Amino acid sequence: MRASFQYLGRGSWLARRDPRTKLLVALFFVIGVVQLRDARHLAIALALALGYYATAGIPFRRVRLQWLYLSVTIVLIAGLNTIITGGRAGGFIEADLHVLFTLPVLGSPITAEAISLSVSQTLRFLAIVAVSLPIAYAVAPGDFAVALRRLGIPDRGAFLVDLTIRFLPTLVNEFAETIDAQRVRGYDPLARRGGVITRIRRLAPIFVPVTIGAIADAEDTIDAMDLRAFGIGRRTWHRELRYHSTDWLLMAGGAAFLVAAGVLAITGSSPHYLLPFLIGE
Amino acid sequence: MNMTATGQAGGMWSVGTRTIVYGAVGAALYAAAGYYSFFAQVPGTEGVYLRPAYGILTFFGFAFGPVVGFATGFIGNALADTLTGSGPIASWWWSVANGLAGLLAGVLAFRWLGSGNASLRAVVSVTATVAATAIGFLFIWIELVIQPELGSDVILWGEYVPAVVSNSLFGAILTPILVLAWEPLSARMGR
């Protein structure tokens, strides 16, 4: 895994769409999916999200470890939630909880309601990740700033994002070189021995030179921008963006999902769903 | 001469070239350092990760003001999430919480710092870091709406407390080191 933006979806169907479309669809989807509670509705949302993700053409072998790591993390989080809440969240009534078994050592009751809640939580998080990853991998890094500007973010904010993306690979290299330089001197800042405080203090000889060096180097960028009268007048952007009919269709789909989720939430039609097979129904 | 947020020309909310560039440097550093100093998940928590790079976030807020602090936390955390797995918006509320912590570090530096020696400023930076973290991360309670499956006990003991304790620890150790390293250079540069 390299610590920089990788345009893995280059040339895919989704990558050819306007970058604003990808940002807005993800926004609509995330706002919509957090309103859903019913695991069946969330399963449909996940299916839609995975279909959307597939159009980004992100090679699975390049993100395999990422998905594995995310899946393990999500399952662990949901599992922990099952133990801690025991189903006493999400609107289930404590008196009606169905205890399936009790954990041997901890003595925590595992209920059908807790497992149902964890399933909902897992489905929702995976769906959000599936629409979020194409922003990282199917938007050309150089398009972020102009897309944000065209979406109404002020020039300065959009330029800040642009600069951040430009600085990232350089600073990652700075960190790598500094770590290597310290190791050549016989000092391993990432050594896994010692307590937490010792390990944090051991990072100072990396963080201090890289941070102070980056700030000092930033002066050149500031001077260059000031010399070009940055911020004095309205900024123009070389890259032009244009919506096509497919973009409008995608955004309409995202908006329709948002409206449908909103209606389900407002009418109370998407409450938490107790998975029937857990209680033998 | 004061070298921190209080010394910023145009007041702490001004957004000039310097704010934009320092915000971008801070965000990129926070993301890059987060990638290299990504320890592990705190055992027994709801996905709270040890990120010693947190000291960089509070330092940028403290040294360059609330706008730079917010940009460092918000954009930096979104980028760090992208580099370490889940994409920029999957946990957007954590990015906002990080941004608020950076913003508050800048506001507190502005409010609390007067003239004083370097040791005093280092102590203030520790206090501001802990206070900004404790207040800024209150934002994650929005999860009661976003993820109703989590009860308030889970958010308190599984997320908020571990995040505040670990980040305060990292910030309290690294922020004063960075403040003390930056101030002499800042004085030489006339900033």
Side-chain angles (χ1 to χ4, degrees):
Chain A
M1 182 164 58
R2 275 171 52 81
S4 61
F5 272 94
Q6 298 174 81
Y7 192 16
L8 298 178
R10 182 193 298 272
S12 66
W13 183 84
L14 192 61
R16 292 197 302 276
R17 307 282 73 79
D18 189 295
R20 292 169 293 182
T21 305
K22 287 165 264 188
L23 293 174
L24 286 175
V25 166
L27 184 69
F28 292 156
F29 186 85
V30 170
I31 296 173
V33 81
V34 299
Q35 300 181 62
L36 300 175
R37 306 284 179 263
D38 191 319
R40 294 166 299 182
H41 297 159
L42 287 166
I44 293 170
L46 175 60
L48 289 171
L50 289 175
Y52 177 78
Y53 175 83
T55 65
I58 302 167
F60 183 68
R61 62 189 157 76
R62 301 288 299 274
V63 290
R64 189 174 45 202
L65 281 177
Q66 222 161 312
W67 273 109
L68 179 67
Y69 160 78
L70 278 170
S71 304
V72 170
T73 304
I74 293 167
V75 168
L76 283 176
I77 290 172
L80 184 67
N81 194 40
T82 304
I83 294 169
I84 294 178
T85 66
R88 293 179 296 275
F92 288 120
I93 299 164
E94 186 153 4
D96 294 338
L97 296 181
H98 299 79
V99 179
L100 299 177
F101 61 93
T102 304
L103 282 180
V105 179
L106 297 172
S108 307
I110 301 299
T111 65
E113 288 75 11
I115 293 175
S116 299
L117 290 175
S118 298
V119 168
S120 296
Q121 190 186 4
T122 305
L123 291 171
R124 185 186 300 110
F125 195 75
L126 285 174
I128 292 175
V129 169
V131 296
S132 182
L133 285 179
I135 295 177
Y137 295 131
V139 176
D143 282 354
F144 275 104
V146 67
L148 291 173
R149 179 67 193 99
R150 296 284 180 260
L151 286 171
I153 303 291
D155 273 329
R156 290 166 192 236
F159 197 73
L160 196 157
V161 173
D162 195 40
L163 272 182
T164 305
I165 293 169
R166 287 167 194 259
F167 283 147
L168 185 64
T170 311
L171 291 173
V172 167
N173 286 338
E174 292 279 327
F175 271 108
E177 285 173 10
T178 308
I179 291 168
D180 288 345
Q182 299 287 16
R183 281 177 172 158
V184 166
R185 294 178 177 90
Y187 182 88
D188 187 0
L190 300 180
R192 291 184 172 272
R193 60 179 187 279
V196 173
I197 292 177
T198 308
R199 287 175 66 183
I200 300 166
R201 289 175 64 93
R202 202 181 286 139
L203 290 169
I206 322 177
F207 282 5
V208 172
V210 176
T211 303
I212 303 302
I215 295 169
D217 290 346
E219 290 297 321
D220 291 341
T221 309
I222 293 167
D223 288 343
M225 288 167 67
D226 282 341
L227 285 169
R228 288 166 177 77
F230 178 84
I232 300 300
R234 189 171 170 274
R235 181 180 166 77
T236 55
W237 296 77
H238 177 66
R239 173 95 161 88
E240 279 200 20
L241 299 177
R242 194 164 293 132
Y243 287 123
H244 295 285
S245 52
T246 328
D247 293 303
W248 291 112
L249 274 173
L250 255 182
M251 284 191 288
F257 175 82
L258 173 60
V259 170
V263 169
L264 285 171
I266 290 166
T267 57
S269 306
S270 186
H272 278 110
Y273 177 64
L274 178 60
L275 298 171
F277 63 85
L278 290 174
I279 51 173
E281 287 180 4
Chain B
M1 184 178 169
N2 186 6
M3 316 309 164
T4 52
T6 50
Q8 190 162 296
M12 65 174 171
W13 300 109
S14 68
V15 182
T17 313
R18 196 166 298 279
T19 315
I20 291 164
V21 175
Y22 285 149
V25 169
L29 267 175
Y30 187 38
Y35 178 76
Y36 274 109
S37 62
F38 179 67
F39 275 12
Q41 183 174 342
V42 183
T45 65
E46 291 282 320
V48 177
Y49 293 92
L50 293 172
R51 274 185 181 159
Y54 186 80
I56 289 177
L57 159 62
T58 42
F59 164 69
F60 270 81
F62 191 82
F64 303 114
V67 178
V68 171
F70 184 81
T72 301
F74 181 68
I75 300 173
N77 191 71
L79 273 181
D81 278 350
T82 302
L83 295 176
T84 53
S86 58
I89 59 167
S91 302
W92 61 269
W93 53 95
W94 285 98
S95 297
V96 174
N98 275 270
L100 289 175
L103 181 145
L104 286 166
V107 171
L108 294 176
F110 190 84
R111 296 284 175 218
W112 292 352
L113 272 181
S115 56
N117 58 25
S119 305
L120 178 66
R121 284 199 287 276
V123 171
V124 172
S125 74
V126 172
T127 315
T129 293
V130 175
T133 307
I135 299 168
F137 277 78
L138 286 172
F139 189 81
I140 65 166
W141 284 85
I142 198 171
E143 278 187 298
L144 283 175
V145 178
I146 297 169
Q147 295 199 81
E149 294 83 9
L150 298 175
S152 51
D153 281 351
V154 176
I155 295 176
L156 177 64
W157 298 110
E159 294 189 336
Y160 180 74
V161 170
V164 169
V165 170
S166 61
N167 286 336
S168 295
L169 184 66
F170 298 137
I173 293 172
L174 289 173
T175 306
I177 294 174
L178 289 166
V179 167
L180 293 175
W182 163 241
E183 293 213 343
L185 180 67
S186 166
R188 277 205 301 277
M189 292 166 66
R191 302 302 178 193

